[in-house]
Amino acid sequence: MSSRLLQLLLIFSLLLNSFVIAGFVYRGWIAPPTEVGLAPPPPPPPPPSGSAPRPGPLEVVTRELDLDQGQREVFRSLIEQHAAKRRERLQEIHRDREQVAAEMRRPQPDLAKVEGLIDRVSELRGELIKENLRTLAAFEPKLRPEQRERMYVIFADRFAGVSSTPQRPREQAAPRPPQ
């Protein structure tokens, strides 16, 4: 092979490699992400017409605690007593979240106002959790001991966002006697 042909192949190889590297650099650091400007993904398909709708809190608690008919009626009345207040709080949370979003879309958002709204949303969510706990405490005398224990485990798991634990957290935290 002549040296001229070898030089041409070497130049062609360098040129090809530089184009490949330039393509990676352009794609990684210069080109806009492919998600920008695309339509959001479509919503999930609705459940089949033959399937049951998503169960409400009454059905979930009834199933998980294995409530009898009398217990179910007591629990239903407790939920109905607080339903209007709970809906009102959820509407307030929704309004405050919309105000946060509207403020953040402005060219110069008022961060003090946003922080105040976020604090208010957190306070309202805390009140909802406390109200749920009060409702459970009012329902507790109507439960059998194993249902009572299971109810607190379920509440703790949902509050903490973890899977079921065999004991309630306050029982696990009891100090061991010295040995």
Side-chain angles (χ1 to χ4, degrees), residues 64-67 71 136-156 168 170-171:
E64 289 184 358
L65 295 181
D66 192 28
L67 300 180
Q71 291 173 324
L136 291 177
F139 184 56
E140 181 179 15
K142 303 293 182 191
L143 295 174
R144 297 184 303 271
E146 69 276 0
Q147 289 174 320
R148 187 175 300 126
E149 183 177 330
R150 180 71 184 139
M151 178 184 68
Y152 282 114
V153 168
I154 291 167
F155 183 81
R168 293 193 340 220
R170 63 181 166 160
E171 292 173 351

Side-chain angles (χ1 to χ4, degrees), residues 8-176:
L8 282 173
L9 289 175
L10 183 60
I11 290 172
F12 179 71
S13 174
L14 286 172
L15 188 62
L16 183 64
N17 286 334
S18 62
F19 278 122
V20 168
I21 291 172
F24 281 120
V25 168
Y26 176 78
R27 179 71 176 104
W29 288 300
I30 299 172
T34 56
E35 295 87 25
V36 174
L38 294 179
S49 59
S51 69
R54 183 176 173 186
L58 180 63
E59 289 79 20
V60 170
V61 171
T62 300
R63 184 182 68 237
E64 289 184 358
L65 295 181
D66 192 28
L67 300 180
D68 61 35
Q69 189 60 33
Q71 291 173 324
R72 183 182 173 128
E73 292 305 318
V74 170
F75 191 64
R76 179 187 307 272
S77 69
L78 283 171
I79 286 182
E80 288 173 357
Q81 288 174 5
H82 302 288
K85 194 175 191 179
R86 197 174 358 262
R87 271 192 299 274
E88 186 178 307
R89 278 211 181 101
L90 288 171
Q91 288 172 350
E92 288 180 49
I93 289 172
H94 184 69
R95 281 192 301 267
D96 289 347
R97 290 181 69 189
E98 285 178 347
Q99 288 177 1
V100 167
E103 187 66 32
M104 291 307 294
R105 286 186 189 107
R106 294 180 50 194
Q108 296 293 323
D110 180 5
L111 295 182
K113 181 179 178 182
V114 169
E115 288 174 2
L117 288 168
I118 291 172
D119 289 342
R120 180 168 157 71
V121 167
S122 297
E123 181 181 319
L124 289 170
R125 283 188 179 172
E127 288 300 319
L128 274 173
I129 293 170
K130 290 176 190 176
E131 186 63 37
N132 289 341
L133 187 58
R134 285 185 210 113
T135 302
L136 291 177
F139 184 56
E140 181 179 15
K142 303 293 182 191
L143 295 174
R144 297 184 303 271
E146 69 276 0
Q147 289 174 320
R148 187 175 300 126
E149 183 177 330
R150 180 71 184 139
M151 178 184 68
Y152 282 114
V153 168
I154 291 167
F155 183 81
D157 290 350
R158 294 220 172 112
F159 182 74
V162 295
S163 62
S164 291
T165 54
Q167 296 179 333
R168 293 193 340 220
R170 63 181 166 160
E171 292 173 351
Q172 291 176 346
R176 291 184 177 178

